[in-house]
Each structure stands twice: as structure tokens, then as C-alpha cells.
Amino acid sequence: MIRDCCLLPIMLDMVEKKRLEMEASGVTMKRLYCTALVRMQDLMLADLLQFRKKLSDAGIKLWKIDDSEVRKKSAFKYQYKCRGYVNVFEMLRDFARAEISKKFGYYIALVFKR
């Protein structure tokens, strides 16, 4: 759940950027692409809210460590607190890319399944 709560905001930003680019372009099927991207954002946001609620119900608090505090720019770092224990969750950028690619495949399948 923590991993998904870290990846989904990144994915939402990527989809929003692509949607804005698509709206500004002159692509023939722009409306189809934009509709699919909005649907994908809706699915991602619903999952993100569900994961955040599950974390909250479990008493886990999660926050991103500022990039200025992270020495290695090759990783994403998040801090979480659970039952009084504070720990760091770190994800390498290569791993994040691979996971994001898999998750995009999952959401694309959901968009065109319905």
C-alpha cells in the first residue's frame, strides 16, 4: 500500500501532463485520447484514495522527504510512522519506472475493458 501511495501521485502527474499536451495538439483523434486519459485519472485517483484510507485505518502516516534532504537523486524517499515507529521507505528510480510501466498497463486495460 505504501508503494502504491508513492507511485500513484507520480503517475497522476504524468497522465495530466500528457492530457494537457494532447489537448494542445492537433491530433485527429484528440477527443478519444483525452477521454481515455481522464478515465485513467479517475481510476487512479479512486485507487489512491482507497489506499490512503486503508493506511489511515491502519494508523500509518506517510510523507515525502524533501528532495533537498535526499542526497541521492536516484531514489524517492518517503517517511512513514506506524505504531510509534518511524522508518524510511526508499524506492530506486529504475524500480519506480518498472512499477509505473506495469501499473500503466493495468490501468489501460481497465479503461478499455468497460
Side-chain angles (χ1 to χ4, degrees), residues 25-38:
S25 73
V27 176
T28 307
M29 300 180 80
K30 172 172 55 173
R31 190 170 188 187
L32 171 68
Y33 294 135
C34 289
T35 303
L37 290 172
V38 167

Side-chain angles (χ1 to χ4, degrees), residues 74-89:
S74 64
F76 295 104
K77 284 192 176 186
Y78 293 83
Q79 198 166 21
Y80 64 93
K81 183 177 181 179
C82 179
R83 297 185 190 119
Y85 294 101
V86 178
N87 207 343
V88 174
F89 174 76

Side-chain angles (χ1 to χ4, degrees), residues 9-109:
I10 296 168
M11 292 173 65
L12 281 166
D13 289 343
M14 292 170 71
V15 172
E16 180 65 14
K17 180 180 175 188
K18 189 54 74 176
R19 187 185 65 78
L20 292 174
E21 287 175 9
M22 189 61 63
E23 284 181 354
S25 73
V27 176
T28 307
M29 300 180 80
K30 172 172 55 173
R31 190 170 188 187
L32 171 68
Y33 294 135
C34 289
T35 303
L37 290 172
V38 167
R39 175 74 177 135
M40 188 183 300
Q41 283 178 313
D42 292 342
L43 292 169
M44 287 179 191
L45 188 58
D47 284 350
L48 179 60
L49 293 174
Q50 180 182 6
F51 288 130
R52 284 184 178 168
K53 181 166 179 15
K54 285 181 181 178
L55 286 177
S56 177
D57 291 345
I60 300 171
K61 294 183 181 183
L62 177 71
W63 60 94
K64 186 174 183 178
I65 297 175
D66 287 337
D67 288 335
S68 61
E69 295 178 26
V70 179
R71 288 189 183 152
K72 294 181 184 177
K73 295 291 182 183
S74 64
F76 295 104
K77 284 192 176 186
Y78 293 83
Q79 198 166 21
Y80 64 93
K81 183 177 181 179
C82 179
R83 297 185 190 119
Y85 294 101
V86 178
N87 207 343
V88 174
F89 174 76
E90 186 172 346
M91 198 173 10
L92 296 175
R93 288 191 187 273
D94 292 335
F95 176 77
R97 277 190 204 110
E99 286 296 310
I100 286 172
S101 178
K102 284 195 296 190
K103 290 184 107 17
F104 270 133
Y106 168 76
Y107 285 109
I108 289 169

